Amino acid sequence: MTVLAPTESPRQRPAPDRKPSRRRPARRMSPLLVAFVLVPFAVESIWVFWPALQGFYFSLTRWDGLEPPQFIGLDNYAEMAGDSVFRGALLNTVIWLLLFGGLSVVGGFGMALLLQKERRGIGFYRAALFTPVVFSLVVTGLVWRVFYQPDGLADQVLRTIGLEHLIRPWLADPQTALYAVILPALWRQIGYVMVLYLAGLKAIDPALHEAARVDGANGWQRLWNVTVPQLRGVNAVVLSVIVIDSLRSFDIVWALTRGGPYHSSELLSTYMYSTAFQSLRLGYGSAIAVVIFGLALAVILGYLVRAFRED
Amino acid sequence: MSDFDPGRRRFLGHLGLAGLGALGMGGLVGCASSASTSSGGGGSDGPVAVQSNLSSPQAKAAMEKIIETFNKQGKGSATLNTIAAETYRTQLPTYLTSANPPDLYTWYAGSVADDYASKGLLLDVSDVWQGLADYPEALRTISTDASGKQVFVPMTNYWWGFFYRKSNFARWNVQEPKNWTDFVALCQTLKGKGIPPIGIGLGDTPWVASAWFDYLNIRINGAPFHRELLAGKQRFDDPKVKAVFTRWREVLPYFDPKGKAYPFQEATAALLAGKTGMFLIGTFFADAAPKDALGDLDFFRFPIIDPAVPVAEEGPTDGFFASAKTGNPTGTKALLSHLASVEAQEEYIRHSSGIVLPANPKAKAADSPLVAKGKAMLESAQELTQFFNRDSSDALQPTADTALTKFMDKPDQIDAILREWQAGAEKVFKG
């Protein structure tokens, strides 16, 4: 690969038998630049690519982490097909993707629209909404646990407004556990999505809005026909972030319910963790990890392909 | 010894685990397969490397003292490496299987030690046991692996029981029950006074429910059946296991309904505040109790259900085992002998915060009526069990957590729950 040959100094370059071409400057990569590519690549290979490949291999084995892995073909995947806990976790992950993903986009975009105009004190509101992003998720988990605990703030609020009959052990009731966990996750994510959309909104040329206004478009029309189409680039980023965040959502669930009670708030990520590191079935855990990887890839590729086609 | 407790390790550790979520899929395996550890043991003459999960401040200080004393005696030298409990739990297999492992480890007696021994990872410490002739037979049994050699040296144990406040029992005008009928009657009385009779904390610590399962099973079916069940030699969908839940159902209405939402530490607070009547728990719960409440605490043993079944008690035992690959077996065994000595164990008892009993029968336990009563109870028991995860494995514990919390929520579905439990257990045993 001459392109990457770092030892060749530019001086030696104009070889007599080669015609100088326009592309030449691109071929003369500085050794520093090459290092910037190769070093991270090498590090990634060791810490990311190789373990990921190993993960695929481990998903075909039975392994307790102590004795050498034992190759069992696709048995783990066959088991997964008949595993009701896995199915529940998959369903919960889809619910999570739709609810957490959908609501954080709607909420984040809504907040960005509300807070985009520069006004006195607007910075305070933006900061207030962004604050949850700053807290460590473990702290978030602890705070919300206090909120949900028996006779905690949630129960007190319900009692004050006369809805005592709704009170239940929020995190310990299989009916409510998953939704009770989605709420703090949303509380956190909305601020983050808001910032992404704020940046996008700032980048829209005000002249477009002016022109639309001159043409007699009302607020809704301007939103749908000017703002939204201009945000396509941001949407792609937000979607990728949301999908990845949904599929790797683990911390908040683990901190609040640990997938319980009896798997009712289990996500694929928590199930992967508990099978691998609590039940010490690392082969099966790896197989679940492969499924998560596949899901993330499918959703993101699916979107990107569509986005490119539209362009 | 409270610091060893599985659930608390889990509870604290899981706070730290949040970070693992970010590891993603590649990280899963990358983490699990990293077989190297920096804390390898020394050469044949180097100091004995001790890997300890006793990370609470008092326990850590106590261990440091004991190692210091050992180093001064001149029989060898040792270094102590204390690791956060949850990290320790997940890393222990890695330590043991690494090429240059640390020499000595804190861990549990019984099935968990035997499991490592069966894979050839533990040092035969039968020589050390020759010096421990006065240790009780029960401790020797749980320190012996399937092939008949000793692989474990116990340091302390603790007991489980129904804890209550003496002043509250006096105020409610009730006494300790002697058998199951008394117990149910006591529950009825307390409920009649508007007190939730039985406290429990399953919110973050669902494993606490396993104590109920263990005790009902050893009271109804006996300790040998219990051990066989936990070793995979009996089935969870056996009618004998179902009988356990039939009994349990009799007292389900007396459980504190809030108990499923909060962890055992809060259940402790509820008990101390008189919001629940009694609480089946191990002595480690007292760590979270204010000192002035300790004098007011008392306990009674899990009520006898079938007088024909020999009485067994849960007496989880903590101590040490050594790596088979240690470069310094002589030094390691010298240190083990020291750890088994009266002097070292009394030193540990003096410094540790919980209510624990020394394993050495000659070592003096802490001087309190509660400790004396606990000691007497364990000594009078015909059999000792450890605890669900210690008699089986950490890997089986999640299956129990799921089955038992579900049962407490939906007792009608017991047949389906037991079928699922058996299926889950089979997967764990299969690997």
Side-chain angles (χ1 to χ4, degrees):
Chain A
M1 269 218 287
T2 52
V3 185
L4 295 176
T7 48
E8 265 175 315
S9 94
R11 284 258 170 106
Q12 299 169 309
R13 241 355 197 5
D17 56 332
R18 233 188 260 169
K19 251 194 192 166
S21 76
R22 258 200 202 174
R23 300 173 86 186
R24 228 185 64 205
R27 300 177 131 207
R28 273 193 316 185
M29 260 185 151
S30 98
L32 189 67
L33 263 183
V34 172
F36 267 115
V37 174
L38 282 187
V39 170
F41 181 79
V43 173
E44 288 272 290
S45 305
I46 295 167
W47 291 106
V48 179
F49 303 142
W50 173 239
L53 284 176
Q54 265 189 321
F56 280 105
Y57 168 68
F58 286 134
S59 75
L60 305 175
T61 65
R62 178 181 301 152
W63 187 33
D64 63 358
L66 259 185
E67 282 162 295
Q70 186 191 343
F71 188 80
I72 53 164
L74 293 173
D75 279 12
N76 283 329
Y77 294 94
E79 186 192 323
M80 213 181 277
D83 182 348
S84 61
V85 180
F86 173 78
R87 276 201 300 274
L90 188 64
L91 179 67
N92 283 346
T93 304
V94 171
I95 293 177
W96 186 277
L97 199 63
L98 294 177
L99 264 186
F100 167 81
L103 290 179
S104 56
V105 168
V106 172
F109 186 51
M111 290 298 160
L113 283 179
L114 275 178
L115 300 177
Q116 65 166 325
K117 276 228 181 72
E118 296 300 337
R119 264 169 284 185
R120 182 199 282 272
I122 199 80
F124 172 78
Y125 291 107
R126 285 183 196 155
L129 273 170
F130 190 72
T131 312
V133 186
V134 180
F135 293 141
S136 126
L137 255 171
V138 178
V139 175
T140 309
L142 287 176
V143 170
W144 280 79
R145 184 202 292 286
V146 173
F147 180 71
Y148 282 132
Q149 78 186 7
D151 302 324
L153 194 58
D155 291 0
Q156 283 172 23
V157 168
L158 285 176
R159 209 166 277 141
T160 316
I161 57 176
L163 292 172
E164 283 113 297
H165 59 283
L166 288 181
I167 288 176
R168 55 185 70 223
W170 301 101
L171 293 170
D173 185 330
Q175 306 289 326
T176 55
L178 181 67
Y179 305 99
V181 177
I182 286 183
L183 210 59
L186 269 179
W187 176 71
R188 187 173 189 276
Q189 192 77 0
I190 282 178
Y192 183 44
V193 173
M194 176 196 74
V195 168
L196 292 177
Y197 275 120
L198 270 179
L201 289 172
K202 294 269 169 218
I204 298 176
D205 188 350
L208 289 173
H209 277 282
E210 274 312 308
R213 202 174 282 137
V214 171
D215 287 345
N218 64 23
W220 274 112
Q221 286 168 327
R222 270 181 282 134
L223 177 67
W224 281 118
N225 300 320
V226 180
T227 312
V228 173
Q230 287 288 313
L231 287 174
R232 189 181 282 168
V234 182
N235 280 335
V237 173
V238 169
L239 187 102
S240 310
V241 166
I242 294 278
V243 169
I244 292 167
D245 278 357
S246 304
L247 288 171
R248 63 159 209 193
S249 283
F250 169 87
D251 22 31
I252 193 79
V253 185
W254 199 260
L256 285 175
T257 66
R258 213 156 295 159
Y262 39 92
H263 303 303
S264 57
S265 60
E266 198 85 78
L267 297 183
L268 285 178
S269 54
T270 55
Y271 190 46
M272 171 191 90
Y273 180 82
S274 60
T275 39
F277 297 110
Q278 293 196 304
S279 303
L280 291 179
R281 306 181 64 224
L282 290 149
Y284 194 60
S286 303
I288 300 172
V290 168
V291 170
I292 300 176
F293 177 73
L295 268 179
L297 213 62
V299 177
I300 292 172
L301 279 186
Y303 178 81
L304 284 183
V305 165
R306 237 193 50 196
F308 276 122
R309 223 177 265 151
E310 275 173 19
D311 286 343
Chain B
M1 187 179 321
S2 55
D3 319 278
F4 277 131
D5 188 77
R8 286 204 321 142
R9 280 184 292 115
R10 215 173 270 161
F11 170 64
L12 295 171
H14 284 160
L15 299 180
L17 280 184
L20 265 170
L23 276 174
M25 21 243 134
L28 160 64
V29 170
C31 166
S33 64
S34 66
S36 66
T37 161
S38 55
S39 43
S44 58
D45 294 325
V48 179
V50 183
Q51 206 82 338
S52 163
N53 69 345
L54 301 172
S55 48
S56 80
Q58 292 102 325
K60 184 173 174 230
M63 278 304 291
E64 279 163 359
K65 273 266 168 16
I66 293 172
I67 298 290
E68 198 185 303
T69 314
F70 174 73
N71 285 340
K72 271 187 211 146
Q73 284 174 343
K75 289 182 207 145
S77 69
T79 56
L80 180 68
N81 187 17
T82 303
I83 288 151
E86 177 66 18
T87 315
Y88 189 94
R89 185 180 71 82
T90 49
Q91 289 294 306
L92 182 60
T94 312
Y95 301 145
L96 282 167
T97 49
S98 68
N100 185 20
D103 304 292
L104 199 64
Y105 307 81
T106 56
W107 209 235
Y108 315 139
S111 155
V112 281
D114 183 47
D115 195 36
Y116 288 123
S118 71
K119 298 185 167 96
L121 295 169
L122 299 191
L123 184 69
D124 178 354
V125 295
S126 307
D127 327 0
V128 177
W129 270 90
Q130 280 167 13
L132 305 181
D134 45 2
Y135 268 57
E137 194 54 36
L139 286 183
R140 182 186 289 266
T141 312
I142 56 173
S143 306
T144 306
D145 76 353
S147 71
K149 57 182 195 288
Q150 280 78 48
V151 292
F152 185 86
V153 172
M155 184 159 77
T156 54
N157 59 9
Y158 62 88
W159 72 95
W160 285 67
F162 275 102
F163 285 84
Y164 63 90
R165 282 192 88 138
K166 285 185 272 193
S167 59
N168 282 341
F169 263 38
R171 186 151 57 89
W172 298 324
N173 197 19
V174 290
Q175 273 90 40
E176 291 185 1
K178 291 278 169 281
N179 54 39
W180 188 253
T181 325
D182 284 0
F183 179 68
V184 177
L186 169 62
C187 289
Q188 275 164 349
T189 312
L190 291 182
K191 196 167 188 185
K193 292 177 192 286
I195 311 288
I198 305 170
I200 194 154
L202 305 176
D204 230 3
T205 50
W207 55 270
V208 171
S210 300
W212 276 87
F213 178 75
D214 285 358
Y215 259 121
L216 284 164
N217 201 21
I218 58 182
R219 288 285 184 266
I220 294 169
N221 298 315
F225 175 83
H226 184 63
R227 278 193 208 102
E228 284 176 22
L229 176 69
L230 267 46
K233 291 175 196 145
Q234 300 280 353
R235 297 177 61 86
F236 285 100
D237 48 7
D238 191 296
K240 287 175 101 172
V241 178
K242 200 183 167 187
V244 165
F245 291 93
T246 314
R247 277 291 174 193
W248 196 339
R249 242 184 123 160
E250 291 173 18
V251 291
L252 263 191
Y254 303 117
F255 277 77
D256 175 14
K258 285 175 186 164
K260 63 180 176 178
Y262 53 46
F264 85 82
Q265 291 89 340
E266 281 183 54
T268 303
L271 175 81
L272 296 175
K275 288 183 187 158
T276 55
M278 51 206 169
F279 186 16
L280 176 64
I281 193 74
T283 58
F284 53 81
F285 86 103
D287 282 357
K291 291 285 172 249
D292 60 319
L294 282 180
D296 193 29
L297 279 176
D298 203 350
F299 79 97
F300 58 89
R301 76 159 38 147
F302 196 94
I304 303 294
I305 295 172
D306 179 355
V309 176
V311 176
E313 303 292 346
E314 298 244 73
T317 304
D318 304 323
F320 302 87
F321 57 48
S323 165
K325 283 188 266 181
T326 170
N328 185 359
T330 327
T332 304
K333 286 176 189 169
L335 178 56
L336 276 171
S337 300
H338 176 68
L339 290 164
S341 70
V342 175
E343 184 195 3
Q345 296 194 0
E346 286 185 348
E347 193 155 34
Y348 188 84
I349 299 289
R350 262 201 310 281
H351 288 91
S352 69
S353 59
I355 305 167
V356 292
L357 304 170
N360 192 321
K362 289 197 180 127
K364 268 216 291 292
D367 186 23
S368 87
L370 193 67
V371 169
K373 192 174 174 183
K375 196 164 181 249
M377 181 179 84
L378 287 193
E379 277 167 3
S380 70
Q382 279 160 284
E383 299 220 43
L384 287 185
T385 51
Q386 297 287 299
F387 190 77
F388 190 92
N389 68 320
R390 296 173 176 219
D391 285 325
S392 58
S393 64
D394 277 345
L396 200 64
Q397 184 69 54
T399 66
D401 295 348
T402 303
L404 301 180
T405 49
K406 192 166 186 177
F407 161 74
M408 295 186 70
D409 231 15
K410 300 176 175 171
D412 296 336
Q413 298 179 13
I414 187 60
D415 290 312
I417 292 169
L418 291 180
R419 270 199 308 277
E420 281 166 28
W421 195 359
Q422 177 60 24
E426 276 167 24
K427 285 182 196 166
V428 171
F429 286 121
K430 191 181 75 184

Short mmCIF file of all heavy atoms in Angstrom, two decimals, chain B residues 380-412:
data_model
loop_
_atom_site.label_atom_id
_atom_site.label_comp_id
_atom_site.label_asym_id
_atom_site.label_seq_id
_atom_site.Cartn_x
_atom_site.Cartn_y
_atom_site.Cartn_z
N SER B 380 -26.19 -26.75 68.98
CA SER B 380 -27.17 -27.80 69.27
C SER B 380 -27.76 -28.39 67.99
O SER B 380 -28.45 -29.40 68.04
CB SER B 380 -28.29 -27.22 70.13
OG SER B 380 -29.07 -26.34 69.35
N ALA B 381 -27.52 -27.75 66.85
CA ALA B 381 -28.10 -28.24 65.60
C ALA B 381 -27.43 -29.56 65.20
O ALA B 381 -26.23 -29.72 65.38
CB ALA B 381 -27.92 -27.21 64.50
N GLN B 382 -28.25 -30.48 64.68
CA GLN B 382 -27.67 -31.74 64.26
C GLN B 382 -26.99 -31.61 62.90
O GLN B 382 -26.12 -32.39 62.56
CB GLN B 382 -28.75 -32.82 64.21
CG GLN B 382 -29.01 -33.38 65.60
CD GLN B 382 -30.36 -34.06 65.68
OE1 GLN B 382 -31.40 -33.40 65.74
NE2 GLN B 382 -30.33 -35.38 65.66
N GLU B 383 -27.48 -30.68 62.09
CA GLU B 383 -26.84 -30.46 60.79
C GLU B 383 -26.75 -28.97 60.54
O GLU B 383 -27.58 -28.20 61.02
CB GLU B 383 -27.68 -31.08 59.68
CG GLU B 383 -27.86 -32.55 59.82
CD GLU B 383 -27.76 -33.25 58.48
OE1 GLU B 383 -26.86 -32.88 57.70
OE2 GLU B 383 -28.58 -34.14 58.24
N LEU B 384 -25.75 -28.59 59.78
CA LEU B 384 -25.64 -27.19 59.36
C LEU B 384 -25.78 -27.13 57.84
O LEU B 384 -25.24 -27.95 57.12
CB LEU B 384 -24.28 -26.61 59.74
CG LEU B 384 -24.03 -26.31 61.21
CD1 LEU B 384 -22.68 -25.62 61.37
CD2 LEU B 384 -25.13 -25.44 61.80
N THR B 385 -26.56 -26.17 57.38
CA THR B 385 -26.55 -25.86 55.96
C THR B 385 -25.90 -24.48 55.84
O THR B 385 -25.70 -23.80 56.85
CB THR B 385 -27.97 -25.83 55.37
OG1 THR B 385 -28.78 -24.99 56.18
CG2 THR B 385 -28.56 -27.22 55.34
N GLN B 386 -25.59 -24.10 54.63
CA GLN B 386 -24.87 -22.83 54.44
C GLN B 386 -25.83 -21.70 54.08
O GLN B 386 -26.16 -20.88 54.91
CB GLN B 386 -23.80 -23.01 53.37
CG GLN B 386 -22.74 -24.02 53.76
CD GLN B 386 -21.83 -23.46 54.83
OE1 GLN B 386 -21.15 -22.47 54.61
NE2 GLN B 386 -21.81 -24.08 55.99
N PHE B 387 -26.24 -21.69 52.88
CA PHE B 387 -27.29 -20.80 52.39
C PHE B 387 -27.51 -21.25 50.96
O PHE B 387 -26.68 -21.97 50.40
CB PHE B 387 -26.87 -19.32 52.42
CG PHE B 387 -28.03 -18.37 52.15
CD1 PHE B 387 -28.95 -18.10 53.14
CD2 PHE B 387 -28.21 -17.80 50.90
CE1 PHE B 387 -30.03 -17.27 52.90
CE2 PHE B 387 -29.29 -16.96 50.66
CZ PHE B 387 -30.20 -16.70 51.66
N PHE B 388 -28.63 -20.84 50.36
CA PHE B 388 -28.98 -21.37 49.05
C PHE B 388 -27.81 -21.33 48.07
O PHE B 388 -27.41 -22.35 47.51
CB PHE B 388 -30.17 -20.60 48.46
CG PHE B 388 -30.72 -21.25 47.22
CD1 PHE B 388 -31.76 -22.17 47.32
CD2 PHE B 388 -30.19 -20.98 45.98
CE1 PHE B 388 -32.25 -22.80 46.19
CE2 PHE B 388 -30.67 -21.61 44.85
CZ PHE B 388 -31.71 -22.52 44.95
N ASN B 389 -27.21 -20.15 47.87
CA ASN B 389 -26.16 -20.05 46.85
C ASN B 389 -24.87 -20.74 47.28
O ASN B 389 -24.07 -21.13 46.45
CB ASN B 389 -25.88 -18.58 46.51
CG ASN B 389 -25.25 -17.86 47.66
OD1 ASN B 389 -25.62 -18.07 48.81
ND2 ASN B 389 -24.29 -17.01 47.38
N ARG B 390 -24.69 -20.90 48.59
CA ARG B 390 -23.46 -21.55 49.04
C ARG B 390 -23.60 -23.07 49.00
O ARG B 390 -22.62 -23.78 48.82
CB ARG B 390 -23.12 -21.11 50.46
CG ARG B 390 -22.83 -19.64 50.55
CD ARG B 390 -22.68 -19.27 52.01
NE ARG B 390 -22.30 -17.87 52.18
CZ ARG B 390 -21.44 -17.47 53.09
NH1 ARG B 390 -20.86 -18.33 53.88
NH2 ARG B 390 -21.17 -16.19 53.20
N ASP B 391 -24.84 -23.55 49.19
CA ASP B 391 -25.06 -24.99 49.08
C ASP B 391 -25.22 -25.41 47.62
O ASP B 391 -25.11 -26.58 47.30
CB ASP B 391 -26.31 -25.39 49.87
CG ASP B 391 -26.04 -25.41 51.37
OD1 ASP B 391 -24.91 -25.77 51.75
OD2 ASP B 391 -26.93 -25.05 52.15
N SER B 392 -25.53 -24.45 46.76
CA SER B 392 -25.60 -24.78 45.33
C SER B 392 -24.52 -23.99 44.62
O SER B 392 -23.37 -24.40 44.60
CB SER B 392 -26.98 -24.45 44.77
OG SER B 392 -27.30 -23.08 44.95
N SER B 393 -24.88 -22.85 44.06
CA SER B 393 -23.88 -22.00 43.40
C SER B 393 -24.49 -20.62 43.18
O SER B 393 -25.70 -20.47 43.18
CB SER B 393 -23.47 -22.59 42.05
OG SER B 393 -24.58 -22.59 41.18
N ASP B 394 -23.63 -19.63 42.99
CA ASP B 394 -24.11 -18.29 42.65
C ASP B 394 -24.93 -18.32 41.38
O ASP B 394 -25.83 -17.52 41.18
CB ASP B 394 -22.93 -17.33 42.45
CG ASP B 394 -22.43 -16.79 43.78
OD1 ASP B 394 -23.16 -16.92 44.78
OD2 ASP B 394 -21.31 -16.27 43.81
N ALA B 395 -24.60 -19.28 40.50
CA ALA B 395 -25.29 -19.35 39.22
C ALA B 395 -26.74 -19.79 39.40
O ALA B 395 -27.61 -19.41 38.64
CB ALA B 395 -24.56 -20.30 38.28
N LEU B 396 -27.00 -20.61 40.42
CA LEU B 396 -28.36 -21.10 40.62
C LEU B 396 -29.22 -20.07 41.36
O LEU B 396 -30.44 -20.10 41.28
CB LEU B 396 -28.33 -22.42 41.42
CG LEU B 396 -29.59 -23.29 41.31
CD1 LEU B 396 -29.80 -23.77 39.89
CD2 LEU B 396 -29.50 -24.48 42.25
N GLN B 397 -28.58 -19.15 42.07
CA GLN B 397 -29.32 -18.19 42.89
C GLN B 397 -30.36 -17.39 42.09
O GLN B 397 -31.49 -17.25 42.55
CB GLN B 397 -28.35 -17.24 43.60
CG GLN B 397 -29.01 -16.26 44.55
CD GLN B 397 -29.60 -16.93 45.78
OE1 GLN B 397 -28.93 -17.65 46.49
NE2 GLN B 397 -30.88 -16.72 46.02
N PRO B 398 -30.03 -16.88 40.89
CA PRO B 398 -31.06 -16.12 40.16
C PRO B 398 -32.31 -16.93 39.86
O PRO B 398 -33.41 -16.38 39.84
CB PRO B 398 -30.35 -15.72 38.85
CG PRO B 398 -28.90 -15.75 39.17
CD PRO B 398 -28.73 -16.84 40.18
N THR B 399 -32.17 -18.25 39.65
CA THR B 399 -33.37 -19.05 39.39
C THR B 399 -34.25 -19.08 40.62
O THR B 399 -35.48 -19.04 40.52
CB THR B 399 -33.01 -20.51 39.01
OG1 THR B 399 -32.42 -21.17 40.14
CG2 THR B 399 -32.06 -20.56 37.83
N ALA B 400 -33.63 -19.12 41.81
CA ALA B 400 -34.40 -19.10 43.05
C ALA B 400 -35.06 -17.74 43.23
O ALA B 400 -36.24 -17.65 43.61
CB ALA B 400 -33.51 -19.42 44.24
N ASP B 401 -34.32 -16.68 42.94
CA ASP B 401 -34.88 -15.33 43.11
C ASP B 401 -36.16 -15.18 42.28
O ASP B 401 -37.18 -14.68 42.74
CB ASP B 401 -33.86 -14.26 42.66
CG ASP B 401 -32.63 -14.27 43.55
OD1 ASP B 401 -32.67 -14.91 44.61
OD2 ASP B 401 -31.63 -13.63 43.18
N THR B 402 -36.07 -15.62 41.02
CA THR B 402 -37.23 -15.51 40.14
C THR B 402 -38.39 -16.34 40.68
O THR B 402 -39.52 -15.84 40.83
CB THR B 402 -36.87 -16.02 38.73
OG1 THR B 402 -35.76 -15.26 38.27
CG2 THR B 402 -38.02 -15.86 37.78
N ALA B 403 -38.12 -17.60 40.99
CA ALA B 403 -39.21 -18.50 41.41
C ALA B 403 -39.84 -18.01 42.72
O ALA B 403 -41.07 -17.98 42.83
CB ALA B 403 -38.66 -19.91 41.57
N LEU B 404 -39.02 -17.62 43.68
CA LEU B 404 -39.57 -17.30 45.01
C LEU B 404 -40.31 -15.97 45.01
O LEU B 404 -41.37 -15.85 45.64
CB LEU B 404 -38.46 -17.31 46.06
CG LEU B 404 -37.72 -18.65 46.18
CD1 LEU B 404 -36.62 -18.58 47.24
CD2 LEU B 404 -38.67 -19.79 46.49
N THR B 405 -39.78 -14.95 44.34
CA THR B 405 -40.51 -13.68 44.32
C THR B 405 -41.81 -13.84 43.55
O THR B 405 -42.83 -13.26 43.91
CB THR B 405 -39.69 -12.54 43.70
OG1 THR B 405 -39.14 -12.98 42.46
CG2 THR B 405 -38.58 -12.08 44.60
N LYS B 406 -41.78 -14.66 42.50
CA LYS B 406 -43.00 -14.88 41.74
C LYS B 406 -44.02 -15.63 42.59
O LYS B 406 -45.21 -15.28 42.59
CB LYS B 406 -42.69 -15.66 40.47
CG LYS B 406 -43.84 -15.69 39.48
CD LYS B 406 -43.37 -16.17 38.12
CE LYS B 406 -44.46 -16.08 37.08
NZ LYS B 406 -43.97 -16.48 35.75
N PHE B 407 -43.55 -16.61 43.34
CA PHE B 407 -44.47 -17.35 44.22
C PHE B 407 -45.13 -16.41 45.22
O PHE B 407 -46.34 -16.48 45.46
CB PHE B 407 -43.73 -18.47 44.95
CG PHE B 407 -44.47 -18.97 46.17
CD1 PHE B 407 -45.60 -19.76 46.04
CD2 PHE B 407 -44.06 -18.59 47.44
CE1 PHE B 407 -46.30 -20.19 47.15
CE2 PHE B 407 -44.75 -19.01 48.56
CZ PHE B 407 -45.87 -19.81 48.42
N MET B 408 -44.34 -15.51 45.80
CA MET B 408 -44.90 -14.63 46.83
C MET B 408 -45.92 -13.68 46.24
O MET B 408 -46.83 -13.22 46.92
CB MET B 408 -43.78 -13.86 47.53
CG MET B 408 -42.87 -14.82 48.30
SD MET B 408 -41.65 -13.99 49.29
CE MET B 408 -42.66 -13.26 50.55
N ASP B 409 -45.78 -13.40 44.95
CA ASP B 409 -46.73 -12.53 44.26
C ASP B 409 -47.93 -13.33 43.75
O ASP B 409 -49.06 -12.85 43.80
CB ASP B 409 -46.02 -11.87 43.07
CG ASP B 409 -46.20 -10.38 43.07
OD1 ASP B 409 -46.63 -9.85 44.10
OD2 ASP B 409 -45.91 -9.75 42.04
N LYS B 410 -47.65 -14.52 43.20
CA LYS B 410 -48.71 -15.29 42.55
C LYS B 410 -48.68 -16.74 43.04
O LYS B 410 -48.34 -17.65 42.29
CB LYS B 410 -48.49 -15.26 41.04
CG LYS B 410 -48.54 -13.85 40.49
CD LYS B 410 -48.23 -13.79 39.03
CE LYS B 410 -48.41 -12.36 38.53
NZ LYS B 410 -47.94 -12.15 37.18
N PRO B 411 -49.07 -16.95 44.31
CA PRO B 411 -48.98 -18.31 44.87
C PRO B 411 -49.85 -19.33 44.12
O PRO B 411 -49.56 -20.51 44.16
CB PRO B 411 -49.45 -18.12 46.32
CG PRO B 411 -50.10 -16.79 46.37
CD PRO B 411 -49.53 -15.97 45.28
N ASP B 412 -50.87 -18.84 43.41
CA ASP B 412 -51.72 -19.77 42.66
C ASP B 412 -50.97 -20.50 41.56
O ASP B 412 -51.35 -21.58 41.14
CB ASP B 412 -52.88 -19.01 41.99
CG ASP B 412 -53.78 -18.38 43.02
OD1 ASP B 412 -53.79 -18.89 44.16
OD2 ASP B 412 -54.45 -17.38 42.69
#
